[in-house]
């Protein structure tokens, strides 16, 4: 079955939950109202369904090929990327002054979800370029921005992020790549980087590598890391391409999933280019502030990876629904039909499909609201509104990334289960979604790294002030639910209130233990992330229920769509929010048992 972009749900999230109309009243977004969003999303959905999605299965079977340092991407990718860039999709949410369209991240995130539903492997190339663009906008010099951003925004050149080394995974203090100043403002880089997404490919005429490295006199640890701009092909003073730089793709990885995305091992300074030994590079910003600058790119990428999770989960859900409608197997348990029926009529299949749908819609709503907070933080005229919006966005980034990707593994796994034995067969496509999703909880910071960030920077650092302020916002929704009389509203009110209390209990525990007993606070960091993520997603679905019921009562909107919104929120409350008190107990009461066994006993 073909992919159908969930445009109606995306527009509902933008309009009713994220306040797109308010965003469109900001000076920079005057043309970004609901009509624009609908037009952009409709065209993005068409492009993804007609151009990208048909490549997904075949590219999984026939991944890129490495030969003597060059990488040929899967059949159709180069042509599809050319159409992608010609349509202006790479520059959708980037600055107009450098050739972008300047649309809000709120709209851009929805388009990114569609691209990931169509093909996670294909979507990874523009994802990394987006992050590199953000880093250059933040810390690049005027010349770097002038020479590189227009070409990256129009897709002529792509971007990468070079952090990981064989001995330095998440611990960037161990980075050894060297950058030696040449006295003319340039540096020569030598070292090896691994796991570089689209580090080499044939879809663009140049690749702009952003590289973490150390200068000779740099202090040890993360304080001595600098960020460098190192193009595959050097750029002449007139903007034309010059000599091949000394950066070489030694190999590409063979992976469980995302097989069509070339994951490169890059060697800098092996004297294989035309410039002599050492890759020529420019310093971005100031020396020894590289990690600070790279975090701009990493945060953008982390949010985008969460959106990847939503995209692949949505595709898995659509595939599972289509299969469940067609697969005839067994009579209904209530004998309501005399013969076998489509499995979608069986209670447990309905439960699985509802769980998939509820997770996806909850995460989509949370990501949309987070993106709107980003847009507000960067463009609202009121400084206090900007500050509050930035704080909210930063709190939600580890949730979108952590919960959104863990959710994708569950949803794609359930999708295999809905298919039964056919889900384990590659031809149905369900297995590919499961395999593709598996990397999402790992790259751009594992779930534990997101959870440690949530505990340390986002919760304990300010004594839980920001987290508690979000809990207070949830209470406002509880009050709205309390005025409603439907069975669904009462159930959502009950479980939202209980879950919010579980959240505040954990906040109190973390604040009390983060300094005196850090092991206890961090032992439950991932369960806390899942609790917070599921709560905030459930909160958005609760808000959606209130709006849907009001529109139904007023005779507005599509009744079938709105009733489905109510049913999804109802299910989410009783099957997902209902588990959060158990997570609270595991975090608060189970900290000691995490470390109860000696290392030698494992």
């Amino acid at each position: 079955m073909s992919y159908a972009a969930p445009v109606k749900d995306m527009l509902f999230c933008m309009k009713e939950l994220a306040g797109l109309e308010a965003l469109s009243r900001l000076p920079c977004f005057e043309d970004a109202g609901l009509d624009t969003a609908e037009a952009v999303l409709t065209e993005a959905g068409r492009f993804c369904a007609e151009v990208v999605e048909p490549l997904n299965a075949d590219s999984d079977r026939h991944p890129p090929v490495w030969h003597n340092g060059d990488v040929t991407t899967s059949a159709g990718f180069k042509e599809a990327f050319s159409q992608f860039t010609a349509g202006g999709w790479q520059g959708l949410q980037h600055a107009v002054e450098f050739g972008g369209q300047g649309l809000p991240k709120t709209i851009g995130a929805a388009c990114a979800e569609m691209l990931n539903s169509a093909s996670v492997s294909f979507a990874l190339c523009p994802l990394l370029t987006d992050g590199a663009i953000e880093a250059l906008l933040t810390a690049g010099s005027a010349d770097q921005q002038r020479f590189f951003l227009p070409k990256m925004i129009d897709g002529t050149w792509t971007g990468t992020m070079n952090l990981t080394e064989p001995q330095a995974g998440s611990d960037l203090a161990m980075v050894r790549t060297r950058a030696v100043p040449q006295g003319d403002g340039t540096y020569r880089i030598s070292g090896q980087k691994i796991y570089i997404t689209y580090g080499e490919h044939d879809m663009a005429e140049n690749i702009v590598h952003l590289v973490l490295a150390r200068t000779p006199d740099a202090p040890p640890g993360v304080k001595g890391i600098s960020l460098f701009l190192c193009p595959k092909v050097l750029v002449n003073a007139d903007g034309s391409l010059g000599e091949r730089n000394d950066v070489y793709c030694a190999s590409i990885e063979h992976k469980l999933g995302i097989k069509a995305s070339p994951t490169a091992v890059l060697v800098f300074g092996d004297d294989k280019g035309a410039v002599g030994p050492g890759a020529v590079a420019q310093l971005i910003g100031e020396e020894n502030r590289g990690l600070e600058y790279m975090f701009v790119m990493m945060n953008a990428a982390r949010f985008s990876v969460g959106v990847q999770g939503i995209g692949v989960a949505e595709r898995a859900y659509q595939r599972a629904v289509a299969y469940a409608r067609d697969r005839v197997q067994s009579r209904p348990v209530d004998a309501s039909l005399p013969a076998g029926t489509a499995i979608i009529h069986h209670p447990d299949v309905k439960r699985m499909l509802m769980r998939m749908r509820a997770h996806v819609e909850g995460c989509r709503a949370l990501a949309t609201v987070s993106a709107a907070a980003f847009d507000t933080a960067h463009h609202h005229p009121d400084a206090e509104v900007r500050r509050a919006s930035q704080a909210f966005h930063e709190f939600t980034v580890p949730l979108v990334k952590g919960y959104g990707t863990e959710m994708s593994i569950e949803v794609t796994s359930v999708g295999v289960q809905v298919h039964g034995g056919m889900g384990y067969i590659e031809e149905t496509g369900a297995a590919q979604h499961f395999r593709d999703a598996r990397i999402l909880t790992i790259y751009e910071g594992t779930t534990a790294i997101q959870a440690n960030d949530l505990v340390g920077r986002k919760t304990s650092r300010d004594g839980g002030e920001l987290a508690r302020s979000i809990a207070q916002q949830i209470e406002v929704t509880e009050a709205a639910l309390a005025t409603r009389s439907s069975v669904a509203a009462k159930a959502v009110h009950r479980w939202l209130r209980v879950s919010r209390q579980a959240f505040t209990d954990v906040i109190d525990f973390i604040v009390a233990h983060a300094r005196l007993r850090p092991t206890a606070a961090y032992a439950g960091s991932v369960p806390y992330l899942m609790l917070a993520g599921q709560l905030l997603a459930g909160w958005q679905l609760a808000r959606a229920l209130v709006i849907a019921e009001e529109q139904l009562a007023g005779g507005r909107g599509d009744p079938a769509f709105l009733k489905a919104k109510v049913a999804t929120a109802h299910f989410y409350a009783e099957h997902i929010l209902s588990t959060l008190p158990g997570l609270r107990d595991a975090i608060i009461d189970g900290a000691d048992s995490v470390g109860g066994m000696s290392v030698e006993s494992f």
Side-chain angles (χ1 to χ4, degrees):
M1 52 83 64
S2 59
Y3 169 65
V7 173
K8 183 174 286 188
D9 191 53
M10 291 172 168
L11 291 173
F12 179 91
C13 291
M14 289 181 194
K15 179 184 178 183
E16 306 296 350
L17 304 179
L20 182 63
E21 292 300 327
L23 281 179
S24 69
R25 290 192 289 272
L26 297 179
C28 54
F29 295 142
E30 299 98 330
D31 298 325
L34 198 62
D35 289 344
T36 296
E38 183 171 9
V40 171
L41 266 58
T42 300
E43 180 57 24
R46 184 205 62 77
F47 174 81
C48 291
E50 295 179 5
V51 178
V52 180
E53 203 270 345
L55 304 174
N56 195 44
D58 190 63
S59 65
D60 182 65
R61 293 188 290 267
H62 304 285
V65 175
W66 178 92
H67 176 71
N68 196 29
D70 296 323
V71 174
T72 303
T73 51
S74 299
F77 267 42
K78 185 174 182 178
E79 294 76 13
F81 190 74
S82 178
Q83 292 184 57
F84 176 82
T85 56
W89 297 110
Q90 184 71 70
L92 191 72
Q93 65 190 51
H94 294 302
V96 174
E97 65 181 298
F98 296 111
Q101 298 181 45
L103 290 177
K105 188 184 186 80
T106 308
I107 295 176
C111 294
E113 181 197 318
M114 295 178 190
L115 196 63
N116 282 286
S117 286
S119 172
V120 176
S121 289
F122 182 89
L124 275 163
C125 185
L127 185 158
L128 269 297
T129 302
D130 280 339
I133 290 168
E134 292 291 343
L136 287 176
L137 284 169
T138 299
S141 68
D143 280 346
Q144 287 169 346
Q145 292 177 352
R146 179 169 57 90
F147 273 102
F148 290 92
L149 285 179
K151 293 288 190 180
M152 296 170 74
I153 285 173
D154 71 16
T156 304
W157 301 344
T158 62
T160 69
M161 177 165 53
N162 289 247
L163 289 77
T164 307
E165 300 177 7
Q167 81 293 340
S170 300
D171 187 0
L172 295 177
M174 299 177 69
V175 163
R176 295 176 185 165
T177 298
R178 305 290 288 176
V180 179
Q182 300 299 296
D184 61 355
T186 68
Y187 292 72
R188 290 277 183 161
I189 293 182
S190 58
Q192 184 183 94
K193 297 290 185 177
I194 62 173
Y195 303 153
I196 309 307
T197 300
Y198 279 89
E200 177 60 36
H201 62 86
D202 60 353
M203 302 194 312
E205 65 181 29
N206 202 4
I207 303 173
V208 181
H209 302 296
L210 299 195
V211 187
L212 288 184
R214 297 182 183 281
T215 54
D217 57 350
V222 294
K223 293 182 179 179
I225 295 175
S226 300
L227 181 62
F228 297 88
L229 187 157
C230 181
K232 171 185 171 179
V233 182
L234 296 182
V235 182
N236 296 321
D238 63 357
S240 63
L241 294 181
E243 295 181 306
R244 180 73 160 79
N245 208 353
D246 189 16
V247 52
Y248 173 76
C249 178
S251 65
I252 56 175
E253 306 293 354
H254 304 279
K255 303 171 301 224
L256 174 69
I258 58 167
K259 293 185 177 183
S261 167
T263 302
V265 175
L266 293 183
V267 178
F268 297 80
D270 212 22
D271 200 9
K272 291 184 181 291
V275 298
V280 178
Q282 304 173 23
L283 177 69
I284 297 176
E286 301 175 15
E287 284 192 16
N288 304 324
R289 294 182 64 185
L291 195 59
E292 173 190 340
Y293 303 144
M294 186 61 87
F295 258 109
V296 175
M297 188 175 184
M298 288 171 65
N299 266 339
R302 286 174 174 180
F303 178 89
S304 296
V305 172
V307 172
Q308 283 192 303
I310 300 167
V312 71
E314 169 67 32
R315 187 68 183 93
Y317 166 69
Q318 290 189 20
R319 195 179 295 278
V321 169
Y323 184 82
R325 290 186 186 279
D326 290 341
R327 176 64 168 168
V328 175
Q329 195 86 167
S330 304
R331 294 173 62 191
V333 292
D334 61 359
S336 58
L337 294 172
T341 185
I343 62 173
I344 199 168
H345 294 284
H346 297 317
D348 192 59
V349 174
K350 280 188 173 180
R351 179 193 63 81
M352 289 190 287
L353 293 176
M354 282 298 296
R355 189 170 185 86
M356 295 172 79
R357 181 187 183 114
H359 272 311
V360 171
E361 291 194 4
C363 284
R364 177 182 297 129
L366 175 57
T368 306
V369 170
S370 178
F374 175 93
D375 290 327
T376 303
H378 285 74
H379 299 287
H380 200 281
D382 188 312
E384 179 55 32
V385 172
R386 291 199 303 272
R387 186 204 64 78
S389 299
Q390 182 67 23
F392 181 84
H393 174 71
E394 289 180 354
F395 188 90
T396 55
V397 165
L399 307 184
V400 172
K401 203 286 184 183
Y403 170 42
T405 58
E406 292 286 350
M407 173 277 295
S408 73
I409 294 176
E410 177 183 343
V411 167
T412 55
S413 177
V414 171
V416 173
Q417 187 73 17
V418 171
H419 283 76
M422 292 302 295
Y424 207 68
I425 305 301
E426 290 290 353
E427 283 76 5
T428 64
Q432 183 187 350
H433 300 318
F434 188 28
R435 290 186 288 102
D436 285 350
R438 194 59 193 86
I439 186 60
L440 304 182
T441 61
I442 299 173
Y443 61 24
E444 303 305 338
T446 64
T447 306
I449 288 173
Q450 310 304 318
N452 287 351
D453 176 49
L454 183 66
V455 169
R457 293 186 180 90
K458 308 297 167 58
T459 301
S460 64
R461 177 176 288 181
D462 68 353
E465 181 180 342
L466 174 60
R468 291 192 186 97
S469 73
I470 293 172
Q472 291 171 357
Q473 295 176 56
I474 295 173
E475 287 189 80
V476 175
T477 303
E478 292 173 32
L481 287 164
T483 66
R484 311 202 68 80
S485 59
S486 70
V487 172
K490 289 181 180 296
V492 174
H493 175 256
R494 173 194 176 193
W495 287 113
L496 186 64
R497 177 177 53 80
V498 169
S499 299
R500 187 255 311 155
Q501 185 59 57
F503 178 56
T504 56
D505 290 346
V506 173
I507 294 168
D508 293 342
F509 175 81
I510 287 172
V511 170
H513 291 82
R515 291 187 178 180
L516 298 178
R517 295 183 62 214
T519 300
Y522 283 88
S525 62
V526 169
Y528 170 48
L529 181 147
M530 295 301 291
L531 188 159
Q534 291 175 106
L535 171 62
L536 266 66
W539 170 36
Q540 300 311 316
L541 291 182
R543 294 177 61 211
L545 179 145
V546 172
I547 293 163
E549 287 196 343
E550 288 175 349
Q551 292 185 1
L552 283 167
R556 308 190 310 277
D558 177 354
F561 173 82
L562 296 171
K563 288 176 182 177
K565 270 290 166 202
V566 173
T568 302
H570 189 181
F571 179 93
Y572 192 101
E574 293 189 333
H575 291 263
I576 298 172
L577 289 182
S578 63
T579 67
L580 300 195
L583 282 177
R584 172 197 57 204
D585 295 345
I587 296 164
I588 294 176
D589 300 331
D592 290 339
S593 63
V594 171
M597 184 182 292
S598 68
V599 172
E600 293 74 20
S601 297
F602 279 96

